[in-house]
Amino acid sequence: MSRIKITDTSLRDAHQSLWATRMTTEDILPILNQLDNTGYHSLEVWGGATFDVCLRYLKEDPWERLRAIRREIVKTKLQMLLRGQSLLGYAHYPDDIVEKFIEKSAENGIDIFRIFDALNDLRNLKVPIEAARKTGKHVQACVVYTISPVHTLDHFVETAKELKAMGADSICIKDMAGLLSPYVSFELVKALKESIDLPIQLHTHYIGGMAIATLLKAIEAGADIIDTATVPLAFGSSQPPVETIVRALQDTEWNSGLELGDLFAVADYFEKIRKQKGFERGVTRITDMKVFDHQIPGGMITNLYSQLEEQKAVDRWDDVLHEIPQVRKDLGYPPLVTPTSQIIGIQAVMNVLTGERYKMCPGEVKDYVRGLYGNPPAPINEEVKRKIIGDLETITVRPADLLPPAWEKCQQEAAPFAQSDEDVLTYALFPQVALKYFEYRQNKEGKDQTPAVAAETMTGQKTAAVQLPGLKNGKRRSGGDGEMDLEDIKELILLLDSTSIGEINLQRPEYSLLLRKSAAGTIDDQAGTTLIPADWKDNTADMSRTIPHKANCHEVTAPIVGTFYEASSPDAPAFVQLGDQVESGQILCIVEAMKLMNEIKADVDGKIVEIAVGNGDTVEYGQILFLIETEQG
Ligand code: CO
């Protein structure tokens, strides 16, 4: 028996779980020296959702964040979470991108690669593990933990053995939903320790409240390393607090060696940041304690709930919670972790909102059913499969075998903006978001004093340049009339070129703006008198427009709140034109909702006599999209 080693997740998973990943590099830098001197085994600082959120919402270069952290952390190992072949994205990338990304991550400062596949499909881990081994850094492979008839102790042990054979230096039990109970944790760790000779690390989430006991039982069973977070970023859907664990193990053979004084210095710092930003402490709600019924990870619960709010369907919350285990069973018991959590979650929402199972399926669900994410742990229900993909064939090869190399293509496409290989990788992972970021960076480099700020909703659907009237030090000074109506923008995160953090309330509290500071410059106090997002347009007129009732006309309505697109991509032709003859089952448009593209199909044969919305318009639940004139009458 020996000392327990501890990984701190405060700079990655903890704020991803509790603060919607909104910790900025400026928040991080001042405490790094203290963290480096605390004696942690490692600091998880990169990967997961941090990369995407840095670019998309914080307008930061994630690579620069990693380098900035590496400059300060000289003693402690830096760790990242990698979604296997999906890297830090939501679908698989070609092998050459995976290899290059891992090589550059190591070069920029990562010491430990924690790698998982949402389905525990080992084929999806082959290339990332090999690439990480090639860098000479530590390769930690994950056994994703979940509960289902096929996820037995044997399954986990066999998976871990194979991961060792593939070259893993250590094994992580990844319990993203906090489903691992204390005594199962004891059995699992014991079984792993007995069958493989590798360090075992336990990653769990507090959620329902068992995590502290789960960690302690794992330690008793021989776990070598555990994950915790600083107390202001612990509890709730995050990790258990380090302070409690360290205290509990004092004067035992597993004493961590960490000093509580050091830990509380870190805690005090993050508590200050938390209060400044107005984030809540981690709490366990009753739905969190019901996690064994619905199996949804805490972070996903929050997302799912806000998606239902967006859909104005909060009253269907219980139905969605009940639907999730059913969809998970139908689709072969995938563990719920990015991206399968989104896939199962949105399908459950669709099933509930449309009132019919699998009537509407986002492209990602179809891809999943076709095997493009890998093999589900158990077979997919045949009837459901037919309903979702019809006669389309499923694939049997490793999904990334179907992806042609993309590095050179990305290099060419990103050439006008990219200043480094890291930029090309950023582009390869998130092309649209990357281009927007590069443009922002160029503008910022051009004129540091710009009073304009970029703003986005939490879901990133809407971008706006906002001019700030009478705003100084984060406080809005004058009331004034004539502000824009923020009717369809619920929440804006303003990335201000200022040092102020605060809140301004518009007329209504629900439109409070959360201000954030970013790199350089100050707000120009004289900058205009109205708040006008650049691309905001008043389409309330459109939405309330009454469609004249026509005889023999069938209404196609939006089954979901989202954005209407007439084509599959900006350069593709529209699915249908006015006057087109369409058949039942034919795709009419796409409504993008919950970050997924949902095809809307005709449910009758007939002629398109009205297209009631414009490309890019926001559509409400039940809003008429098309009128189709049918023959009979
Ligand atoms: Co986690």
Side-chain angles (χ1 to χ4, degrees):
M1 293 295 176
S2 60
R3 281 193 163 182
I4 190 75
K5 294 177 187 156
I6 301 184
T7 292
D8 172 67
T9 67
S10 305
L11 306 183
R12 204 288 297 175
D13 201 350
H15 76 106
Q16 183 176 324
S17 298
L18 294 180
W19 296 1
T21 330
R22 294 311 201 275
M23 199 185 282
T24 64
T25 303
E26 273 189 59
D27 297 333
I28 291 171
L29 293 178
I31 198 63
L32 287 177
N33 188 265
Q34 175 74 51
L35 277 172
D36 199 20
N37 287 310
T38 299
Y40 279 113
H41 163 71
S42 66
L43 305 174
E44 188 185 64
V45 298
W46 214 58
T50 60
F51 194 96
D52 187 4
V53 172
C54 263
L55 281 174
R56 201 186 290 260
Y57 301 112
L58 305 178
K59 297 286 179 258
E60 282 187 26
D61 182 349
W63 296 98
E64 186 45 46
R65 171 181 292 189
L66 176 55
R67 287 189 290 269
I69 293 173
R70 182 76 279 180
R71 281 193 287 274
E72 299 291 320
I73 301 292
V74 291
K75 295 188 244 177
T76 316
K77 291 193 172 96
L78 296 184
Q79 184 171 319
M80 77 171 291
L81 178 70
L82 196 85
R83 299 170 186 151
Q85 197 77 26
S86 305
L87 296 173
L88 305 178
Y90 309 98
H92 289 187
Y93 294 101
D95 291 340
D96 61 341
I97 300 293
V98 171
E99 284 158 0
K100 194 80 179 175
F101 188 90
I102 289 171
E103 179 196 321
K104 284 288 160 188
S105 303
E107 243 177 73
N108 281 275
I110 294 298
D111 300 304
I112 300 175
F113 288 92
R114 175 179 288 177
I115 309 175
F116 77 97
D117 177 66
L119 298 172
N120 282 331
D121 185 338
L122 299 168
R123 301 171 308 163
N124 294 336
L125 293 171
K126 187 172 160 285
V127 172
I129 286 181
E130 272 169 17
R133 275 173 61 87
K134 226 166 124 188
T135 65
K137 307 291 185 181
H138 184 103
V139 181
Q140 180 170 78
C142 292
V143 173
V144 174
Y145 180 79
T146 189
I147 297 174
S148 88
V150 288
H151 290 93
T152 59
L153 203 59
D154 278 350
H155 164 83
F156 295 127
V157 169
E158 283 315 307
T159 305
K161 276 185 185 164
E162 289 184 57
L163 291 170
K164 184 188 176 187
M166 288 165 74
D169 298 309
S170 65
I171 298 293
C172 172
I173 303 167
K174 181 173 166 60
D175 173 32
M176 61 282 156
L179 290 171
L180 187 60
S181 58
Y183 294 93
V184 178
S185 146
F186 185 91
E187 292 305 322
L188 178 55
V189 172
K190 191 162 142 271
L192 289 174
K193 287 306 282 186
E194 277 166 5
S195 49
I196 49 169
D197 178 26
L198 285 182
I200 302 294
Q201 181 154 5
L202 178 54
H203 174 82
T204 183
H205 285 251
Y206 188 82
I207 310 187
M210 287 194 303
I212 292 172
T214 301
L215 287 183
L216 294 180
K217 290 306 286 183
I219 292 166
E220 281 182 23
D224 301 272
I225 318 157
I226 54 163
D227 285 10
T228 60
T230 184
V231 59
L233 279 149
F235 295 112
S237 55
S238 180
Q239 271 71 56
V242 64
E243 297 80 0
T244 309
I245 297 290
V246 166
R247 175 78 72 186
L249 294 173
Q250 260 178 359
D251 306 322
T252 71
E253 57 192 297
W254 304 288
N255 182 16
S256 66
L258 304 192
E259 296 289 338
L260 279 158
D262 293 342
L263 298 175
F264 282 120
V266 172
D268 288 343
Y269 174 78
F270 282 112
E271 182 65 358
K272 195 181 79 201
I273 300 280
R274 186 189 71 76
K275 284 183 176 160
Q276 275 174 3
K277 302 211 148 190
F279 286 116
E280 307 250 320
R281 296 285 298 273
V283 292
T284 291
R285 298 156 298 187
I286 295 174
T287 38
D288 295 328
M289 300 196 72
K290 293 181 184 163
V291 67
F292 287 89
D293 302 328
H294 56 66
Q295 301 155 346
I296 311 165
M300 184 188 163
I301 288 200
T302 318
N303 269 330
L304 208 59
Y305 194 83
S306 57
Q307 284 164 352
L308 269 189
E309 275 180 331
E310 201 178 300
Q311 296 297 326
K312 301 190 174 75
V314 171
D315 56 316
R316 309 301 302 277
W317 178 237
D318 280 343
D319 299 332
V320 171
L321 286 189
H322 280 113
E323 184 64 11
I324 283 173
Q326 180 62 45
V327 173
R328 186 167 169 257
K329 183 180 173 199
D330 288 343
L331 299 186
Y333 295 111
L336 298 181
V337 61
T338 304
T340 43
S341 51
Q342 285 84 351
I343 289 173
I344 300 296
I346 192 162
Q347 190 58 60
V349 171
M350 297 281 185
N351 287 357
V352 168
L353 290 186
T354 58
E356 184 187 331
R357 287 205 168 112
Y358 310 107
K359 181 184 177 188
M360 195 161 92
C361 303
E364 287 78 356
V365 174
K366 291 178 188 164
D367 287 349
Y368 170 88
V369 171
R370 290 192 58 210
L372 293 174
Y373 290 90
N375 283 331
I380 295 175
N381 177 312
E382 278 301 325
E383 201 181 314
V384 168
K385 185 191 269 181
R386 255 198 312 283
K387 188 142 193 207
I388 295 176
I389 60 167
D391 297 332
L392 268 180
E393 267 181 52
T394 54
I395 65 157
T396 50
V397 295
R398 183 184 70 112
D401 283 339
L402 302 171
L403 304 173
W407 174 251
E408 278 176 25
K409 183 171 150 276
C410 289
Q411 247 180 341
Q412 280 162 14
E413 287 173 3
F417 309 95
Q419 299 167 357
S420 62
D421 282 357
E422 285 81 353
D423 280 350
V424 176
L425 287 165
T426 301
Y427 174 81
L429 260 64
F430 301 105
Q432 309 300 336
V433 183
L435 290 178
K436 249 161 90 180
Y437 169 73
F438 294 149
E439 198 183 318
Y440 164 85
R441 184 172 67 183
Q442 239 163 23
N443 286 338
K444 196 165 74 105
E445 281 163 5
K447 38 173 182 165
D448 259 357
Q449 293 297 312
T450 173
V453 298
E456 288 186 87
T457 63
M458 293 292 277
T459 53
Q461 304 294 338
K462 202 163 294 262
T463 308
V466 178
Q467 296 220 306
L468 290 160
L471 192 84
K472 202 170 189 181
N473 298 328
K475 298 266 192 321
R476 193 156 174 281
R477 288 194 311 180
S478 55
D481 304 305
E483 289 97 345
M484 57 170 291
D485 186 4
L486 286 172
E487 202 60 60
D488 64 342
I489 303 177
K490 278 230 183 72
E491 191 164 19
L492 292 168
I493 288 196
L494 300 181
L495 301 160
L496 293 181
D497 287 339
S498 91
T499 50
S500 56
I501 297 178
E503 283 203 334
I504 49 174
N505 289 310
L506 295 185
Q507 309 295 11
R508 286 164 287 181
E510 66 265 35
Y511 299 134
S512 72
L513 305 189
L514 183 61
L515 304 188
R516 289 164 191 289
K517 57 182 175 178
S518 76
T522 52
I523 305 172
D524 184 344
D525 198 28
Q526 307 302 317
T529 52
T530 48
L531 279 160
I532 305 169
D535 67 348
W536 189 82
K537 61 179 177 187
D538 183 353
N539 55 10
T540 42
D542 274 352
M543 291 206 278
S544 58
R545 191 169 121 213
T546 44
I547 312 270
H549 181 78
K550 292 181 185 166
N552 302 338
C553 268
H554 177 82
E555 294 171 352
V556 179
T557 58
I560 196 160
V561 178
T563 310
F564 174 92
Y565 292 109
E566 60 181 13
S568 56
S569 71
D571 4 296
F575 289 111
V576 288
Q577 311 272 5
L578 201 63
D580 278 4
Q581 200 65 37
V582 296
E583 286 173 11
S584 176
Q586 187 175 334
I587 300 168
L588 301 176
C589 68
I590 282 173
V591 173
E592 184 192 0
M594 301 182 255
K595 292 188 187 158
L596 301 176
M597 298 295 189
N598 308 290
E599 294 169 347
I600 309 297
K601 293 175 180 160
D603 37 14
V604 291
D605 296 350
K607 189 168 121 185
I608 303 279
V609 291
E610 171 95 38
I611 301 178
V613 282
N615 195 34
D617 281 359
T618 305
V619 295
E620 294 295 316
Y621 180 75
Q623 186 180 343
I624 296 172
L625 306 177
F626 298 92
L627 288 183
I628 300 177
E629 195 176 64
T630 52
E631 304 263 307
Q632 88 275 21

